[in-house]
Amino acid sequence: MANDPIHQFQISKLIPIEIGGLDFSFTNSAAFMVATVAASGAFLFLTTSSRGLVPGRLQSISEMLYEFVASMLRDAAGSHGMKFFPFVFSLFMFVLVGNLLGLFPYFFTITSHIIVTFALALLVIGTVIVYGFWKHGLGFLKLFVPSGVPAVLVPLVVLIEVVSFLSRPVSLSVRLFANMLAGHITLKVFAGFVTSLSAFGVAGMAGAVLPFVMVVAITGLEILVAFLQAYVFAVLTCMYLNDALHPGH
Amino acid sequence: MFVAPAFAQSADEGAAGETHTETGVEHGSGHEAGFPPFDSSTFPSQLLWLAITFGLFYLFLKRVALPRIGNILEVRRDRIAQDLDQAARMKDEADAAVAAYEQELAEARKKANVIGQEARDQAKAEAEAERRKVEARLDEQLSEADERIATIKSTAMKDVGAIAEETAALIVQELIGSKADKSAVAAAVKAVRQ
């Protein structure tokens, strides 16, 4: 069981709660959601508490995160998009800190569960749809009819656009989920090699050097992936929000 | 600590209504594989806690953290703009001061020229007056001297006849050994002098 690479994704109940036949237990996943939110919230809050005109190191990190997401959103969706800034920033921080926390040994990775990433993706698409119709009414449907397409091709293009729109939440959620899942499984498998090989004495330990180096390298790669996937998630969110703001292509 | 399969199954039945419509295809393979991410019995709990934590996080960031960071950045931007303005104003002031200084310098130079010119003119006039006075005095002295020379000359000339007569009479007396006729000597001297 110790070497089972799937074991790390197991959800265990910490405080069993059941309401109306549904299991709403406070699990290790919920605990790490709380940890993610608490850590990032506390970081942003505490590092900026001095409100330094000349920022310290930690305050600079908070400001850089702020300006990074702000410029990302402004580039993708224009200045009108800034009303979604708290939303995009929350998503980015939640995914980023969730990914990074999951890299600690024995820690649970909340973004390695498809339901979490899918819920976040649905939240994004739901926001796009609701805001799009609220702002533009039926004009939002122009999103599916690119301008400058010959009339004959319109039905086909609309079909393609609709399918691509509907596949967005799936691709958004599966991308993040699969990256986290695969990365953690790979780490676990190589780490498992190290322990299994070391059990065969000195020769085994010498042989374990290679997977050990791989574990170190993959850990570095996973830190990169944690950042990258949070960035990709946020950037795609910005682009989808741009569709809601400016449906005419 | 792990989810008991029996419980997972029963919870899954109960959760069917809400969660299955949302999640669509993904959890189809969940039950038999026992793969935790596809175990739909954990979905209600994860969704609930995600909603709670993410909702609170969103509210906290929107109400507290982000306005604060935005405020810090804005204050800094304002401060920088303000400082730049102040620097520009100070530069303008310095430029104005330099211009005023240069103008004053030019005026002072002009004034100095005027004063110098005046002083020069005055000095020239004084020198001229002095020269005239000296010249006048010299002229006066010259004429006085001329006058004196003339008087001396005339008196000298007056005496010359008598002296010549006397001398001539003495010379004649020495030559001939007797007193010369005074009137003859006077006539002779007179003849020579003319």
Side-chain angles (χ1 to χ4, degrees):
Chain A
M1 197 59 176
N3 269 348
D4 177 10
I6 302 301
H7 175 68
Q8 58 183 320
F9 305 113
Q10 204 65 254
I11 286 185
S12 52
K13 286 182 211 175
L14 302 178
I15 305 168
I17 303 169
E18 198 179 323
I19 302 167
L22 287 175
D23 176 24
F24 289 121
S25 303
F26 188 80
T27 60
N28 54 349
S29 170
F32 275 94
M33 288 177 194
V34 172
T36 299
V37 166
S40 40
F43 181 83
L44 292 172
F45 186 76
L46 294 177
T47 56
T48 55
S49 58
S50 66
R51 294 161 193 265
L53 193 63
V54 178
R57 281 182 209 170
L58 295 176
Q59 190 184 325
S60 292
I61 295 176
S62 289
E63 288 174 9
M64 273 161 62
L65 287 167
Y66 183 100
E67 292 192 317
F68 177 66
V69 178
S71 69
M72 185 201 299
L73 182 58
R74 199 177 291 115
D75 289 348
S79 52
H80 294 299
M82 292 314 282
K83 61 167 78 71
F84 292 110
F85 177 64
F87 178 57
V88 177
F89 191 84
S90 308
L91 275 176
F92 177 72
M93 283 303 285
F94 190 79
V95 174
L96 176 65
V97 177
N99 290 351
L100 287 177
L101 269 186
L103 284 173
F104 287 94
Y106 298 107
F107 277 27
F108 181 83
T109 316
I110 52 175
T111 44
S112 68
H113 275 247
I114 182 75
I115 185 67
V116 172
T117 62
F118 193 71
L120 292 175
L122 272 190
L123 189 60
V124 171
I125 299 300
T127 306
V128 167
I129 293 172
V130 169
Y131 183 79
F133 278 116
W134 176 71
K135 186 80 180 174
H136 302 286
L138 290 177
F140 179 59
L141 294 175
K142 275 191 293 189
L143 176 64
F144 301 112
V145 191
S147 54
V149 175
V152 189
L153 288 176
V154 163
L156 184 64
V157 170
V158 166
L159 184 69
I160 292 171
E161 289 282 333
V162 168
V163 169
S164 94
F165 186 83
L166 291 179
S167 65
R168 279 175 181 182
V170 178
S171 69
L172 194 58
S173 56
V174 170
R175 183 182 300 113
L176 176 58
F177 155 71
N179 267 286
M180 288 301 117
L181 188 81
H184 281 80
I185 290 176
T186 316
L187 267 179
K188 183 79 187 217
V189 166
F190 276 100
F193 284 163
V194 176
T195 50
S196 322
L197 283 173
S198 315
F200 296 121
V202 179
M205 283 189 189
V209 168
L210 187 64
F212 184 75
V213 169
M214 285 298 288
V215 168
V216 173
I218 292 171
T219 304
L221 179 72
E222 281 306 302
I223 292 174
L224 177 72
V225 168
F227 272 103
L228 193 68
Q229 288 306 317
Y231 172 70
V232 167
F233 200 94
V235 151
L236 288 174
T237 301
C238 292
M239 286 176 172
Y240 298 160
L241 287 172
N242 184 41
D243 284 345
L245 289 156
H246 316 105
H249 281 263
Chain B
M1 287 295 270
F2 304 133
V3 181
F7 185 83
Q9 284 297 338
S10 66
D12 189 32
E13 248 88 87
E18 278 97 328
T19 54
H20 286 205
T21 47
E22 264 188 342
T23 52
V25 195
E26 283 77 28
H27 59 76
S29 60
H31 307 291
E32 62 274 21
F35 187 53
F38 294 156
D39 179 359
S40 58
S41 70
T42 64
F43 287 3
S45 152
Q46 293 201 66
L47 286 175
L48 174 74
W49 289 103
L50 176 67
I52 292 172
T53 52
F54 188 75
L56 288 177
F57 187 53
Y58 174 75
L59 285 179
F60 175 73
L61 289 190
K62 191 183 159 84
R63 297 273 160 79
V64 183
L66 293 179
R68 184 194 269 189
I69 299 176
N71 187 44
I72 290 172
L73 295 174
E74 204 167 310
V75 164
R76 183 175 309 148
R77 205 174 299 131
D78 285 357
R79 177 66 188 274
I80 288 171
Q82 198 181 319
D83 284 1
L84 283 178
D85 280 358
Q86 201 174 344
R89 211 178 55 236
M90 281 178 166
K91 189 181 173 295
D92 286 352
E93 273 170 21
D95 285 351
V98 166
Y101 163 76
E102 267 168 11
Q103 198 181 338
E104 261 171 36
L105 195 67
E107 266 170 26
R109 204 172 276 148
K110 212 189 288 171
K111 217 190 277 175
N113 277 343
V114 168
I115 289 170
Q117 192 61 42
E118 267 173 18
R120 215 159 25 239
D121 288 354
Q122 198 180 341
K124 215 190 217 168
E126 271 173 18
E128 187 73 14
E130 191 70 18
R131 195 172 59 87
R132 280 217 195 90
K133 216 155 65 186
V134 170
E135 268 177 3
R137 210 173 61 229
L138 285 178
D139 281 352
E140 201 178 308
Q141 281 174 352
L142 205 62
S143 61
E144 256 173 38
D146 278 352
E147 220 169 277
R148 220 166 57 226
I149 287 167
T151 38
I152 289 168
K153 197 176 172 185
S154 64
T155 42
M157 281 316 225
K158 222 188 287 164
D159 292 347
V160 158
I163 292 167
E165 277 169 27
E166 233 168 82
T167 312
L170 281 175
I171 290 166
V172 169
Q173 196 177 339
E174 285 292 313
L175 288 174
I176 58 175
S178 65
K179 266 205 181 178
D181 182 22
K182 212 170 183 174
S183 57
V185 171
V189 168
K190 209 171 183 177
V192 170
R193 278 181 70 192
Q194 273 161 3

